[in-house]
Amino acid sequence: MTPSYVEAGKDFRRDMKYLSDRITRTSSEWPVEPGRYRLVAARACPWANRAIIVRQLLGLEDALSMGLCGPVHDEDSWTFDLDPGGVDPVLGYKRLQEAYLARDPDYARGITVPAIVDIPTGAVVTNDFPWITHDLFFEWREFHRPDAPDLWPADQREEMQEVMDRVFTEVNNGVYRCGFAGSQRAYDKAYDRLFAALDWLEERLAHRRYLMGDAITEADIRLFTTLARFDAVYHGHFKCNRTKLSEMPVLGAYARDLFQTPAFGENIDFDQIKRHYYLVHEDINPSGVVPKGPLESWWSEPHGRESV
C-alpha cells in the first residue's frame, strides 16, 4: 500500500516535525567528526537533492560519506535498491527505516531523506533538512575544500533568510499545495500563490545573476531543486500549468545557468525524478504511467546569464 497525500476538501499541510538533533563542533553527543556519519539521500527528492549539492560544492565527500536510495518507496521506507543486493554497503541496511528504528524502536513518523546516520550505532541523528545544509556550511568548515563558495555571506544573511522563507512557502512547498489540493478552492488559491511568486522571481532575477547578486548562495540551491523538477513533474503531475519553466525567459535561463554549474546538473536524474512522483503518488496518478518527456536537451542550451 502506498501513502495517500490528498485529503478531500482540505489544503495540503506539510508535516515539519523532524528529529531536531544537530551535528556541531561543540556538541558532546554529536560532534563534527570526519568519517563518523553517513548522509542518506535520494536524487529523486528535492529536499535531499539540496544536501547532495551542498556536500559536493563544499568538498565534503571525504569527510561525509553518502548512501543513495532508489526513487520509489512504499509507505514504510525509502530503500537501497540501487546498491548490489539492495543493501547499503556501509550501514548494512536494506531500508532506511532500520536506521530510524535504531534511534527509536517506537519511531512512528515519516521515514524521510535526507537523513544523517551515525555509522557506529547505525542510528539516525537528524532528518531536519533545512538545518542539515545550514550545518554542513557552518559546522563542517574545517573540512571544506579551500575554494569552497560562501553559501551564507555575512552581509546578506538577513535578506537571504527572507528570500529563502518566501521561496520555501510559495515555491518549494507551493507546488505541493497545488498537487495535493483536496478541493478546487484549495487548488485555485495555491496556483495563484505559486505563480505570483514565480513572477516575483522573474523580476528579481532580471538584473542579478543569482538570487543574492553575483555569487551562488544557499538560496539558489533551495530554489534550484524545485525548478529542476518543474517541467518534468510539477507542470503536469501537480497541475502547475500556467507556464512551463522553459517558457519563462529569465527564470528558465537562470535554472539552466545553475544546471550547467558543477554539482548542480550532475546531481539531477530526470528518470529517477519522474519515477518517484508518478509511481509513488498513486492517488493522483493511479495508472502508474511515467511520461517520456520533456526533452532534456533544453537544459544544455546557452543561458546567456554571464552578462547579467
Side-chain angles (χ1 to χ4, degrees):
M1 178 181 179
T2 54
S4 177
Y5 298 89
V6 178
E7 292 188 73
K10 295 185 179 180
D11 295 0
F12 171 69
R13 292 284 187 271
R14 180 173 297 281
D15 182 355
M16 290 294 290
K17 295 179 181 178
Y18 297 99
L19 296 169
S20 58
D21 288 4
R22 294 171 56 196
I23 300 168
T24 68
R25 288 168 292 177
T26 58
S27 173
S28 59
E29 186 176 12
W30 308 117
V32 170
E33 185 180 324
R36 176 175 173 176
Y37 305 100
R38 187 159 177 81
L39 171 66
V40 178
R43 288 197 169 97
C45 171
W47 320 105
N49 229 168
R50 296 179 180 185
I52 295 172
I53 292 170
V54 169
R55 172 180 174 268
Q56 184 173 335
L57 280 175
L58 299 178
L60 289 171
E61 293 96 328
D62 292 336
L64 178 65
S65 71
M66 182 170 70
L68 291 174
C69 296
V72 180
H73 62 77
D74 57 28
E75 66 176 352
D76 292 324
S77 183
W78 292 82
T79 55
F80 294 101
D81 49 290
L82 300 178
D83 292 304
V87 177
D88 180 89
V90 172
L91 300 173
Y93 291 153
K94 287 190 173 183
R95 306 170 68 80
L96 180 56
Q97 183 184 41
E98 296 174 67
Y100 281 81
L101 295 178
R103 163 72 181 257
D104 177 4
D106 297 319
Y107 186 83
R109 303 192 67 81
I111 308 299
T112 64
V113 289
I116 296 185
V117 179
D118 178 46
I119 296 173
T121 63
V124 168
V125 176
T126 180
N127 63 341
D128 197 338
F129 66 90
W131 279 109
I132 286 175
T133 52
H134 174 281
D135 290 345
L136 289 180
F137 178 77
F138 286 101
E139 302 297 332
W140 290 75
R141 283 192 175 190
E142 181 182 351
F143 306 101
H144 291 184
R145 59 183 172 84
D147 60 344
D150 183 1
L151 298 180
W152 292 77
D155 61 342
Q156 296 179 327
R157 285 175 198 165
E158 184 175 353
E159 181 189 2
M160 192 173 89
Q161 190 61 59
E162 293 174 357
V163 170
M164 291 192 302
D165 287 346
R166 187 170 181 182
V167 166
F168 172 74
T169 59
E170 305 304 303
V171 182
N172 300 147
N173 203 43
V175 293
Y176 285 85
R177 276 199 305 269
C178 290
F180 298 145
S183 70
Q184 188 68 49
R185 178 204 59 79
Y187 166 75
D188 290 347
K189 183 172 64 173
Y191 176 99
D192 291 342
R193 285 179 62 179
L194 169 64
F195 281 99
L198 293 178
D199 290 341
W200 163 69
L201 288 166
E202 275 273 296
E203 182 178 347
R204 181 178 180 88
L205 289 164
H207 304 292
R208 63 183 81 194
R209 186 169 182 179
Y210 305 111
L211 281 174
M212 301 310 301
D214 60 359
I216 291 170
T217 65
E218 170 93 5
D220 297 293
I221 298 163
R222 294 186 178 195
L223 175 58
F224 171 76
T225 57
T226 294
L227 297 183
R229 289 156 175 78
F230 200 87
D231 287 5
V233 175
Y234 302 142
H235 181 270
H237 185 57
F238 278 1
K239 307 179 185 71
C240 303
N241 60 353
R242 189 200 74 178
T243 317
K244 294 179 180 178
L245 176 66
S246 57
E247 296 168 343
M248 302 178 202
V250 174
L251 206 52
Y254 160 83
R256 289 200 309 276
D257 186 5
L258 289 174
F259 184 87
Q260 295 168 30
T261 300
F264 285 83
E266 61 201 88
N267 286 308
I268 296 297
D269 187 315
F270 290 110
D271 178 64
Q272 288 195 31
I273 288 169
K274 289 187 291 186
R275 288 177 60 205
H276 171 66
Y277 283 90
Y278 284 96
L279 293 178
V280 171
H281 302 156
E282 289 185 356
D283 44 357
I284 55 177
N285 187 43
S287 71
V289 172
V290 179
K292 294 180 68 174
L295 294 176
E296 297 174 20
S297 57
W298 174 82
W299 287 96
S300 300
E301 295 176 5
H303 52 75
R305 295 286 293 175
E306 303 92 343
S307 62
V308 177

